[in-house]
Amino acid sequence: MSEYWIVDPIEQKITIFNLVEGLYEERIFKEDQAIASQLLSELNLTSQLTVGKVLSQ
C-alpha cells in the first residue's frame, strides 16, 4: 500500500502516510486545509478536498 489515511473526527484532523523508499512519511491536515493525496489528486482538480468536507459527510 503506497498511501493510507487515518481520519480522526475527535481531533478534527486527517493524517496521510505515503510510502517513500520503504518508509512511511506522515502529513497532517486540519480544518479547512486542502488535503494533498497522491492517490486522489484528481479530486483536487475540480474542487479542493478539505478535512472539513471529509468530516461533514
Side-chain angles (χ1 to χ4, degrees):
M1 181 177 300
S2 63
E3 177 178 287
Y4 71 94
W5 295 28
I6 297 177
V7 178
D8 186 340
I10 295 171
E11 294 288 327
Q12 297 285 302
K13 70 179 183 177
I14 295 175
T15 306
I16 297 179
F17 294 87
N18 289 97
L19 187 60
V20 178
E21 297 182 12
L23 299 173
Y24 282 98
E25 293 183 355
E26 170 188 270
R27 291 178 295 146
I28 298 173
F29 301 91
K30 296 182 178 184
E31 301 167 0
D32 289 329
Q33 187 176 14
I35 298 171
S37 167
Q38 293 174 356
L39 293 179
L40 303 177
S41 61
E42 58 273 354
L43 288 178
N44 283 331
L45 295 177
T46 57
S47 174
Q48 283 193 336
L49 183 62
T50 65
V51 174
K53 287 180 183 178
V54 171
L55 293 177
S56 68
Q57 298 300 315

